[in-house]
Amino acid sequence: MRIGLCCPSPCLVSLLFKMFKAAIIFASAIMPLIPSVFGAAVVARDQIDPLTCVGAAKYIGISGTLYYSPACANLEFDCLSTLNTTASTDLWSVPSCVAGATCSGTLMTLAQCQNPAVSKPNAPHLNYNVYASIVGDCAWQEGGCPITSQNYIDFFYGQLTAIGSTAWPSSAEDVITHYWDPINAWTNTGATIPYTNFDDWLHYAPGL
């Protein structure tokens, strides 16, 4: 059985021609937009999802062990304010950022939300002057020296004093249990933490 067309052959040719012409016009219109569309996709891929930023903001001052401290929140706020004021992406040259990172699981995410140029794995190494402020003059001796738990406590409380915090940890024991111990467990270097291992923690520890 032969199936007929809905219109004579000349009509079909005319219809196909019109469709082809329309396709060319559409392609001509859309092609200039393709680079910008793909460009936007690349930028979006580098941005943190806004919902992630909202979620991170809800956890300001909360450690990886889910311990909340307004003192920790103050360190985070000071860190973010300093980075914003100086337009810097070098978190680990700002003492309050280093201290804040040790007590919070959201600081790096919040810094990236504030400035997408901040990169966790590609961030500069821990500023050695900041490290020296943690361990003391032995940092400048040959081979340096590792961070002790007492060094860490003194640094943490010292940063709270430096930023004028009116909130303080409930106790030094809480600082050790919720902040120092998890870092010490991750680095797995015994009772103390050398510069290199602490720097690695700042760059690669999950949940930072």
Side-chain angles (χ1 to χ4, degrees):
M1 181 176 66
R2 185 177 180 180
I3 300 176
L5 295 175
C6 64
C7 60
S9 181
C11 178
L12 178 61
V13 171
S14 176
L15 178 61
L16 290 174
F17 177 77
K18 289 180 180 179
M19 292 173 63
F20 180 70
K21 184 178 180 180
I24 292 176
I25 293 173
F26 176 78
S28 299
I30 201 68
M31 282 300 290
L33 300 178
I34 289 178
S36 61
V37 170
F38 280 128
V42 171
V43 172
R45 202 161 51 238
D46 289 338
Q47 307 292 322
I48 291 185
D49 179 14
L51 291 179
T52 299
C53 296
V54 171
K58 293 179 180 179
Y59 283 86
I60 288 178
I62 298 179
S63 71
T65 60
L66 301 182
Y67 171 76
Y68 172 73
S69 169
C72 179
N74 286 346
L75 289 169
E76 288 193 84
F77 288 134
D78 184 83
C79 167
L80 295 171
S81 176
T82 300
L83 293 175
N84 185 54
T85 301
T86 60
S88 174
T89 61
D90 187 1
L91 273 73
W92 314 137
S93 68
V94 181
S96 62
C97 291
V98 176
T102 67
C103 67
S104 167
T106 61
L107 182 58
M108 175 58 75
T109 299
L110 291 170
Q112 291 175 313
C113 291
Q114 178 174 274
N115 184 350
V118 172
S119 171
K120 181 179 178 179
N122 297 321
H125 291 292
L126 171 63
N127 185 292
Y128 202 77
N129 287 315
V130 175
Y131 184 77
S133 72
I134 301 174
V135 299
D137 292 340
C138 64
W140 307 110
Q141 298 174 3
E142 185 176 355
C145 57
I147 307 172
T148 66
S149 58
Q150 187 60 54
N151 288 153
Y152 173 70
I153 290 174
D154 293 343
F155 171 69
F156 192 85
Y157 278 86
Q159 284 310 303
L160 289 172
T161 299
I163 67 172
S165 176
T166 56
W168 299 86
S170 300
S171 67
E173 287 75 17
D174 283 342
V175 172
I176 291 297
T177 299
H178 297 288
Y179 306 152
W180 169 261
D181 283 351
I183 300 172
N184 190 238
W186 188 91
T187 57
N188 193 29
T189 54
T192 60
I193 304 175
Y195 169 87
T196 301
N197 302 87
F198 185 58
D199 183 60
D200 283 346
W201 180 84
L202 290 171
H203 287 81
Y204 304 114
L208 179 59

